[in-house]
Amino acid sequence: MQEVKTQRQVEILWAVLVGAVLWAGPGLGADPVRTGGDGESAVRIENLLERMTLEEKLSQLTQRSGDDIDDADTPEARQKTEAFLATIRGAQMGSFLNVHGAERVNRLQRVAVEESRLGIPLIFGLDVIHGYKTIFPIPLAETCSWDPDLVTRAAAVAATEARAAGIHWTFAPMVDIARDPRWGRVAEGAGEDPYLGAVMAAARVRGFQGEDPAAADRLLACAKHFCAYGGAEAGRDYNTVDVSERTLREVYLPPFKAAVDAGVGTFMSAFNDLNGIPATANPFILTEVLRQKWGFEGFVVSDWDSIGELVQHGIAASPADSARLAITAGVDMDMCSFVYRAHLAEEIRSGRISETVIDRAVRRVLKAKARLGLFEHPYVDPQREAQVCLTPEHLALAREVARSSIVLLKNHDDLLPLGKDLGTIAVLGPLADNRKDPFGTWAGIGGWGEAVDVLAGVRSAVSKETRVLHAKGCELEGNDRSGFVEALTVAKQADAVVLVVGEGQAMSGEAHCRTSLGLPGVQRDLVETVHAIGVPVVVVLMNGRPLSIGWTAEHVPAILETWHLGNECGHAVADVLFGDFNPSGKLPITFPRNVGQVPIYYYHKNTGRPPADNDGFTSKYLDTPTTPLFPFGYGLSYTTFGYADLEVSARKIPPGGEVTISAVVANKGKRPGHEIVQLYVRDVVASVSPPVKRLRGFRRIFLAPGETKRVSFTLACADLGLYNAEMKYVTEPGEFRVWIGPSSAEGLEGRFEVTK
Ligand code: BGC
């Protein structure tokens, strides 16, 4: 005991000395974070490692959920909590998830730092996906802004609030490319495209981590789920993924690589089987790609129990097997399956794995703790939490992001924007007077009590004289049409109807997949019934995935895609409905006409028989066109933009050269607005069949009425490459086609050649 105390004292003294050196300023000692572990923190880590027992090491690799801490003031609850604290005191855990709130985190941290043998601080993780208290739009929605700076700012606010509540580490961004809207987790990512996905991955990492994740308003980020989780067969969560190595490299890996390049601190291994080896036991992706090729130096956490699940996958005969497979493949921390703690010591003692494998993982975890500054500053200031959450500035940004996320899908005869001085507006539908569902998936800590629904948003936007009427019409699900009568009675009195329909909060997200993509329940009937009375109808869609809304798209004059927008939903929708904000969002994912077209995405191969109307034996359907309902990159504005005068800087470019492609974009309407100008490329003939189009650049520009701008993109040869038959990334000589346009389906076309 005496010995333990002495060691602890030495440790504290040592920490104080190092802290003093670091505080002394530049020139006196290297920053442990920015030197990547070569400085004092590396010394500290080695010193700790030398003193740690094997059990203590395995604890650092173990993460437990704090869901079971019971705050009730009963003997049972106190006993349970004491048992919980004893595990921390006994250094059985290195990390927690699902514990939040400054007081509570400090309480657990105090036990780890002041009562455990080596005093190593805990790292607290949480799914801060699109906000902590101030809830921003779901990531898929935010991506519609095509505005990485805005997305960075939203992530920074989430980090500020969460860090003040004691969280150090977010399990975000989710950077899985998803091309199947049945998969409930499309809501959490940036859509179908690897280029846009990579830009957004980096933007989110920058927002969460900032320059220095140790700062009081930043978090460590986690790129997840590594990898190809979005490729789940049949869009069913956790299902098998079987993709070629080329598709893996071209489509699924780029956003992860972008996260590494942006300095992301951690990765999470995915649940899915990947070409026969579950991602959590896959040395190809976890070691060969992530460590050896990309040089990632952070740590990898498993997904929840994904190590234990290797037994169900059928590649491990026992939990001990699964622990050995995961750690040797490259998973450093075990989230909630506890097999590392239970079995790795025996695996080492029996010689099946070497302790150096464990040391390597522990070193990575301790390094992350050092990078977060936890050895110097393990606690948070409880005062700060209340001060920084849900501030007017955060809500203002949430409104800005929310309105930038809205996509105008249809606006026949310029029905929108509506006048604020209409006599009567009917706001109908199950999502109109609803603050909870627009929070979307993973909005756990956000309190929707403070949120603004569409009904309230409309009421606060219109003139004093305007009557705003409301009827629900129907529930989100079920067959009950009894509310239609009231909805019709209200609609008949109105000059315009705003009909808010779509999916509830729990219809997308993890394990929330659907086999139909239509409006759930009788909502589509409600739309038809209300539309039939002849009052102008604006459909406001809320959903976590693309929906097949063919009937609505054909008949209803105006449609706004608003996804799940979070706290400021109602204000943002009203801003767009009444023209205070000119919508500029563009889709990051294709909308299918029906579920039978899935997977449908713009970045597809041409096939040997591309669809042709006059030939039956081509790649098409008998009953549905092959084109989407709304293509990737699509979205309208209250003004119109014209594209003209495409220029390509050179007809021929040498290998390693560059080419600049530009076009003039004009605002031809009467309102100022933002346009998202997109650049697509096609390699005409290559050694492996190329996709018909690939996004290679975009710009969000602002144009006043009548204003024109030449928008230029410079592409290097390396931007035009592909993975050849030997899986080498090369740019092959030959002809390239390029387009600059407003979506993946339109644009001015040019050509150039890369010479030999
Ligand atoms: C999800 C992860 C999440 C983790 C922790 C898992 O079920 O797949 O995305 O980060 O739970 O909550």
Side-chain angles (χ1 to χ4, degrees):
M1 193 60 200
Q2 184 56 41
E3 213 250 329
V4 169
K5 269 202 179 137
T6 313
Q7 280 192 352
R8 180 83 194 104
Q9 281 158 359
V10 169
E11 175 69 14
I12 290 170
L13 187 65
W14 187 83
V16 168
L17 280 172
V18 169
V21 170
L22 292 176
W23 278 109
L28 272 180
D31 181 323
V33 175
R34 294 186 190 92
T35 54
D38 289 344
E40 287 77 5
S41 75
V43 176
R44 165 183 290 158
I45 289 164
E46 293 312 314
N47 173 306
L48 274 176
L49 261 171
E50 269 174 31
R51 295 164 48 211
M52 287 167 94
T53 63
L54 184 52
E55 277 65 28
E56 282 167 337
K57 289 179 186 173
L58 296 177
S59 305
Q60 287 303 312
L61 308 184
T62 301
Q63 185 180 54
R64 175 177 176 176
S65 175
D67 288 334
D68 46 357
I69 306 177
D70 193 340
D71 283 333
D73 195 15
T74 62
E76 298 76 45
R78 279 197 295 276
Q79 201 181 6
K80 208 168 142 193
T81 303
E82 193 36 53
F84 190 92
L85 296 180
T87 64
I88 303 175
R89 203 170 288 119
Q92 293 172 26
M93 305 293 145
S95 174
F96 281 92
L97 78 159
N98 297 342
V99 179
H100 51 85
E103 300 278 5
R104 174 177 276 210
V105 166
N106 281 347
R107 182 176 173 210
L108 303 192
Q109 190 71 297
R110 195 156 284 120
V111 178
V113 172
E114 294 170 27
E115 298 175 33
S116 75
R117 191 177 81 91
L118 295 174
I120 301 173
L122 296 159
I123 176 171
F124 290 86
L126 189 76
D127 293 277
V128 182
I129 307 295
H130 52 113
Y132 179 71
K133 278 279 184 194
T134 304
I135 299 300
F136 288 85
I138 53 169
L140 186 64
E142 278 188 356
T143 306
C144 296
S145 69
W146 296 54
D147 187 341
D149 292 338
L150 194 63
V151 166
T152 296
R153 284 163 61 206
V157 163
T160 302
E161 295 190 354
R163 189 68 184 252
I167 307 303
H168 307 130
W169 174 28
T170 174
F171 305 125
M174 185 193 101
V175 304
D176 295 309
I177 296 300
R179 293 171 161 185
D180 190 329
R182 292 172 297 184
W183 191 51
R185 302 196 83 166
V186 289
E188 293 175 53
E192 74 182 42
D193 183 63
Y195 180 88
L196 182 58
V199 171
M200 290 299 166
R204 293 194 165 105
V205 170
R206 279 198 301 273
F208 288 129
Q209 295 193 167
E211 290 287 304
D212 182 357
D217 54 359
R218 300 296 175 160
L219 299 170
L220 206 59
C222 178
K224 72 183 189 186
H225 309 80
F226 199 52
C227 76
Y229 181 37
E233 281 179 1
R236 182 159 53 82
D237 209 1
Y238 317 123
N239 204 6
T240 304
V241 176
D242 204 333
V243 291
S244 70
E245 189 180 330
R246 176 165 299 104
T247 302
L248 196 66
R249 290 184 186 274
E250 261 179 29
V251 177
Y252 291 100
L253 291 181
F256 287 100
K257 173 65 164 55
V260 172
D261 292 343
V264 72
T266 67
F267 262 55
M268 185 185 289
S269 70
F271 284 123
N272 54 283
D273 181 275
L274 177 62
N275 300 337
I277 314 278
T280 293
N282 195 312
F284 170 63
I285 55 164
L286 293 171
T287 297
E288 202 178 312
V289 174
L290 183 61
R291 301 285 179 191
Q292 291 163 3
K293 189 148 172 50
W294 295 350
F296 175 66
E297 292 188 348
F299 76 86
V300 176
V301 64
S302 75
D303 204 341
W304 184 295
D305 193 30
S306 68
I307 304 181
E309 290 169 12
L310 295 174
V311 172
Q312 282 86 286
H313 274 287
I315 65 152
S318 63
D321 266 4
S322 44
R324 192 182 61 252
L325 286 171
I327 191 94
T328 49
V331 177
D332 302 303
M333 186 183 279
D334 171 4
M335 182 193 282
C336 295
S337 68
F338 307 110
V339 293
Y340 279 8
R341 256 200 73 81
H343 301 288
L344 285 182
E346 179 53 28
E347 292 299 295
I348 291 165
R349 282 184 204 115
S350 64
R352 281 188 285 273
I353 51 176
S354 141
E355 193 164 343
T356 56
V357 176
I358 309 297
D359 287 350
R360 190 179 60 189
V362 175
R363 199 173 277 121
R364 289 171 183 155
V365 170
L366 294 179
K367 204 166 142 189
K369 291 182 177 183
R371 189 176 177 197
L372 277 161
L374 298 184
F375 289 97
E376 289 81 14
H377 304 289
Y379 307 116
V380 268
D381 171 7
Q383 307 293 320
R384 208 174 124 76
E385 183 175 2
Q387 288 160 7
V388 305
C389 288
L390 282 169
T391 61
E393 294 76 34
H394 291 183
L395 289 171
L397 183 66
R399 183 172 184 162
E400 180 62 23
V401 179
R403 56 195 201 172
S404 304
S405 303
I406 294 174
V407 184
L408 177 64
L409 294 177
K410 183 175 177 188
N411 195 19
H412 185 65
D413 277 348
D414 291 336
L415 172 59
L416 288 173
L418 300 174
K420 289 183 179 176
D421 54 356
L422 288 179
T424 304
I425 298 180
V427 184
L428 308 178
L431 289 159
D433 183 15
N434 182 325
R435 283 174 293 168
K436 180 172 176 288
D437 286 300
F439 268 38
T441 185
W442 285 124
I445 314 302
W448 48 269
E450 292 91 0
V452 182
D453 56 51
V454 173
L455 182 60
V458 169
R459 284 203 167 115
S460 68
V462 294
S463 74
K464 276 201 214 77
E465 291 69 40
T466 303
R467 277 198 316 157
V468 179
L469 306 177
H470 168 65
K472 195 171 183 183
C474 64
E475 299 297 331
L476 281 168
E477 292 180 278
N479 296 323
D480 185 1
R481 290 176 170 75
S482 61
F484 282 23
V485 177
E486 190 200 359
L488 286 181
T489 311
V490 168
K492 280 177 188 158
Q493 303 170 50
D495 300 297
V497 170
V498 174
L499 184 43
V500 195
V501 290
E503 296 182 317
Q505 179 172 36
M507 289 183 189
S508 59
E510 184 177 353
H512 289 79
C513 303
R514 295 177 61 201
T515 59
S516 64
L517 296 174
L519 289 170
V522 292
Q523 295 185 77
R524 144 94 195 265
D525 293 357
L526 180 68
V527 176
E528 274 191 49
T529 310
V530 172
H531 174 260
I533 64 173
V535 182
V537 175
V538 179
V539 161
V540 172
L541 286 176
M542 289 184 186
N543 37 293
R545 58 162 62 74
L547 294 179
S548 299
I549 43 151
W551 189 93
T552 307
E554 193 179 336
H555 297 94
V556 172
I559 307 172
L560 285 181
E561 173 55 78
T562 73
W563 312 101
H564 289 142
L565 290 180
N567 266 87
E568 287 294 298
C569 170
H571 284 145
V573 170
D575 287 344
V576 172
L577 282 175
F578 300 103
D580 290 333
F581 184 83
N582 187 356
S584 57
K586 302 263 187 176
L587 297 176
I589 187 163
T590 303
F591 273 47
R593 292 174 190 275
N594 62 47
V595 74
Q597 286 186 313
V598 169
I600 178 170
Y601 47 90
Y602 85 93
Y603 181 132
H604 59 81
K605 302 284 179 90
N606 201 34
T607 81
R609 296 187 176 192
D613 288 341
N614 54 3
D615 187 347
F617 288 86
T618 61
S619 180
K620 61 189 186 188
Y621 301 108
L622 293 177
D623 54 354
T624 302
T626 48
T627 52
L629 185 61
F630 299 111
F632 174 86
Y634 170 86
L636 303 172
S637 162
Y638 293 155
T639 189
T640 39
F641 296 103
Y643 284 71
D645 201 13
L646 184 103
E647 277 179 7
V648 182
S649 63
R651 180 70 192 88
K652 291 178 189 256
I653 59 167
E658 284 185 351
V659 60
T660 298
I661 305 113
S662 67
V664 173
V665 184
N667 183 343
K668 300 197 156 173
K670 295 195 179 65
R671 286 170 181 271
H674 285 96
E675 169 68 332
I676 293 149
V677 182
Q678 301 160 43
L679 174 80
Y680 294 89
V681 174
R682 175 174 182 167
D683 192 344
V684 179
V685 179
S687 63
V688 293
S689 54
V692 295
K693 271 186 180 178
R694 288 199 292 161
L695 182 71
R696 292 278 89 189
F698 63 86
R699 299 259 190 292
R700 190 167 189 274
I701 59 163
F702 179 79
L703 291 176
E707 192 182 352
T708 61
K709 266 187 195 152
R710 180 167 282 281
V711 180
S712 308
F713 300 90
T714 298
L715 289 176
C717 259
D719 297 324
L720 304 166
L722 48 79
Y723 287 93
N724 69 12
E726 286 78 46
M727 239 20 101
K728 293 227 162 53
Y729 185 80
V730 290
T731 301
E732 296 181 341
E735 188 83 8
F736 287 82
R737 291 164 72 184
V738 279
W739 295 263
I740 291 184
S743 81
S744 62
E746 289 171 79
L748 303 173
E749 187 180 336
R751 282 171 185 264
F752 62 89
E753 188 189 325
V754 174
T755 57
K756 286 202 171 109

